Amino acid sequence: MTTRRTRPAPRPPEGTPPRAELARQARTVLADAVRIARWAADGAAPGTTPPAALEHAAAALDISPAQVRSGWDRARLAGLVELHGDTARPGWRLRAWDRDDSAVLRGWVALFDAWSLVHPAPRGVESTAVAEAVEAVPQVLSLLQLSAGPVTVPALLDLLGQRVAELHEERCEVPYGPEPLPAPAQPAPTAHSPALVARLLDWALEGLADVGALTLGAGQATLTPLGNWAVWVKLEQICVAAQSPAGNIEQAAADMLLGCARLTPGPARAEYRAWLAARPVGSAVAELLDVARGEDALLRGLAFEALRVVGAPAEPEVRAVLTDPSLRPYALLWLAEYDGTDPEDAQEVLSREEATWLWVDTAAAVADHGETGLLVRHLDSAVQGTVPALLDEVRAVGHPRTVQVLVALAAAHPDPALAKAVRKAAFQVHTGGS
């Protein structure tokens, strides 16, 4: 039990369109990128990529080479295609594009995050100045989001100038410590000129408009519904991350999962969300699956619980582990629930052997981390109707923890006759007898 309060589900700002409408707008922004991604994924250019076949793609899709290049860049940034050497393959978002609004919105947000790559930086501007502008843009977006309407360019310019100056000063600060010996006189770094800051603001606004995050008018800028929603989501992620107990959000996946092991499902999911919000989705999924491949069965089950919070972005990685016998039952259940199967019915996707393997793995988690009574009650969850049938199939399934599980069960069970049968089965597995 826990007394920890959970934060109520936040609501988007008033006037935010439903997710289906936001997804429709995102599909519109990425329409050309999707066309090019599908053209490449259909094998129209096997063994190569559209940039190497620019004219071919332009002719096939009846668009200009410049549109092909732009759409291809967007497709890659939005996760619609993946490059494996010189071969383009469909990304998971492309496969889910027509049926999964969440996949569409995540793809657009990935493009939104990469706006500075979509729109090349002004020529002749130092990379450090560009980097400072990119780092300052979230404050500009926050002002636009809080204003809930048009904001004048002078106001945005003033905010960007202040933030860039702060970042520039931080970068040029002398570190605290003993004073070094006098060095040859060098000109001190100067703040960026107003003209340069104005160029950087124009570049940022044009780049954000290019990905559909805002619209530009006469001397003003306004977030689009998509842009307003995306900024709100990122602010909420920061708030969710702040809900995590001190230090938990910074823990490695295994330590985080162990910290959540005794929480009830609701608070545990809140912890998973906080941990995930602080990391790129791809690396978080990879870290959770690495933990799942370990020897601790409890962490294996908890890792897949955390992956349920990830949702669609984890689908390709979860499908990829179906060939791993130790992860296959968990992956099959995850995919069944992801496809809409009721969790109570999801067990039906497992074969008898897979269900038995999962029973042993769960028993191992209980034996290592749970109470004696839980292990005895775990007998009731077996798909076999009788203990002798369960023991026969457990012995045949080949789980590496079979002996330890049976020994623990024999020690815990109050029925002497049943405990004797279980001990005998454990001995037979240990010696390889029948």
Side-chain angles (χ1 to χ4, degrees):
M1 296 296 293
T2 178
T3 58
R4 182 170 175 265
R5 290 187 175 183
T6 58
R7 185 169 180 256
R11 294 184 178 182
E14 186 176 352
T16 302
R19 286 178 68 85
E21 172 57 22
L22 290 171
R24 185 196 67 77
Q25 295 176 17
R27 287 185 174 97
T28 300
V29 172
L30 284 162
D32 284 348
V34 170
R35 286 185 65 202
I36 293 168
R38 284 177 172 157
W39 175 82
D42 285 342
T48 187
T49 58
L54 206 59
E55 299 296 335
H56 184 192
L61 300 172
D62 194 26
I63 56 178
S64 71
Q67 287 175 299
V68 172
R69 190 179 299 278
S70 173
W72 174 250
D73 288 342
R74 289 164 177 254
R76 291 178 60 191
L77 293 170
L80 297 169
V81 290
E82 299 171 356
L83 291 184
H84 298 265
D86 288 333
T87 303
R89 297 179 185 172
W92 70 267
R93 290 191 178 112
L94 185 62
R95 294 191 293 270
W97 196 255
D98 292 328
R99 62 177 172 82
D100 191 336
D101 288 347
S102 292
V104 173
L105 290 172
R106 285 179 180 273
W108 182 83
V109 168
L111 180 68
F112 167 67
D113 288 339
W115 68 267
S116 60
L117 301 179
V118 174
H119 198 62
R123 291 183 178 180
V125 178
E126 292 184 0
S127 59
T128 53
V130 172
E132 288 165 357
V134 171
E135 190 174 347
V137 159
Q139 279 74 25
V140 173
L141 291 170
S142 295
L143 175 60
L144 286 163
Q145 200 266 343
L146 291 171
S147 299
V151 179
T152 65
V153 168
L156 297 174
L157 185 61
D158 183 57
L159 175 61
L160 183 68
Q162 290 181 30
R163 183 58 183 146
V164 166
E166 291 171 359
L167 294 169
H168 188 74
E169 184 178 353
E170 291 171 6
R171 184 171 60 85
C172 298
E173 281 182 350
V174 177
Y176 178 81
E179 292 188 8
L181 294 173
Q186 294 181 351
T190 57
H192 302 310
S193 68
L196 177 56
V197 175
R199 285 187 67 192
L200 291 170
L201 177 65
D202 289 343
W203 166 66
L205 294 179
E206 289 169 2
L208 291 163
D210 202 25
V211 298
L214 53 79
T215 57
L216 299 175
Q220 62 185 26
T222 309
L223 285 177
T224 64
L226 270 176
N228 189 63
W229 169 80
V231 175
W232 171 79
V233 166
K234 292 184 179 299
L235 291 173
E236 281 300 315
Q237 286 177 342
I238 295 171
C239 294
V240 168
Q243 298 289 313
S244 176
N248 191 59
I249 192 174
E250 299 176 359
Q251 297 295 326
D255 294 330
M256 180 274 295
L257 293 172
L258 284 176
C260 296
R262 294 193 178 278
L263 296 178
T264 54
R269 283 192 293 270
E271 292 303 305
Y272 301 150
R273 291 190 187 97
W275 187 83
L276 291 162
R279 290 160 177 76
V281 174
S283 61
V285 170
E287 190 175 349
L288 289 170
L289 287 174
D290 283 343
V291 171
R293 292 186 182 94
E295 297 181 358
D296 194 323
L298 175 66
L299 291 182
R300 189 159 26 255
L302 291 174
F304 276 86
E305 287 300 317
L307 288 169
R308 284 176 172 82
V309 174
V310 178
E315 181 189 5
E317 285 78 8
V318 172
R319 289 193 185 279
V321 303
L322 287 173
T323 56
D324 185 330
S326 66
L327 301 186
R328 179 176 174 81
Y330 293 96
L332 287 171
L333 293 176
W334 190 98
L335 291 166
E337 293 179 27
Y338 172 72
D339 289 335
T341 303
D342 189 293
E344 294 184 359
D345 300 327
Q347 290 279 345
E348 297 176 4
V349 304
L350 301 181
S351 68
R352 183 90 163 199
E353 182 178 1
E354 290 161 351
T356 303
W357 196 100
L358 183 61
W359 185 91
V360 179
D361 206 49
T362 306
V366 174
D368 290 342
H369 300 277
E371 299 174 359
T372 300
L374 290 177
L375 189 59
V376 174
R377 291 196 294 274
H378 185 54
L379 274 173
D380 296 334
S381 67
V383 295
Q384 294 79 5
T386 65
V387 170
L390 170 64
L391 295 177
D392 285 343
E393 295 186 32
V394 163
R395 289 162 53 192
V397 80
H399 193 289
R401 295 291 304 279
T402 298
V403 173
Q404 293 95 324
V405 164
L406 292 179
V407 169
L409 181 59
H413 206 283
D415 185 334
L418 190 147
K420 181 179 179 180
V422 174
R423 275 195 299 272
K424 180 180 178 181
F427 177 78
Q428 291 170 339
V429 174
H430 179 62
T431 60
S434 57

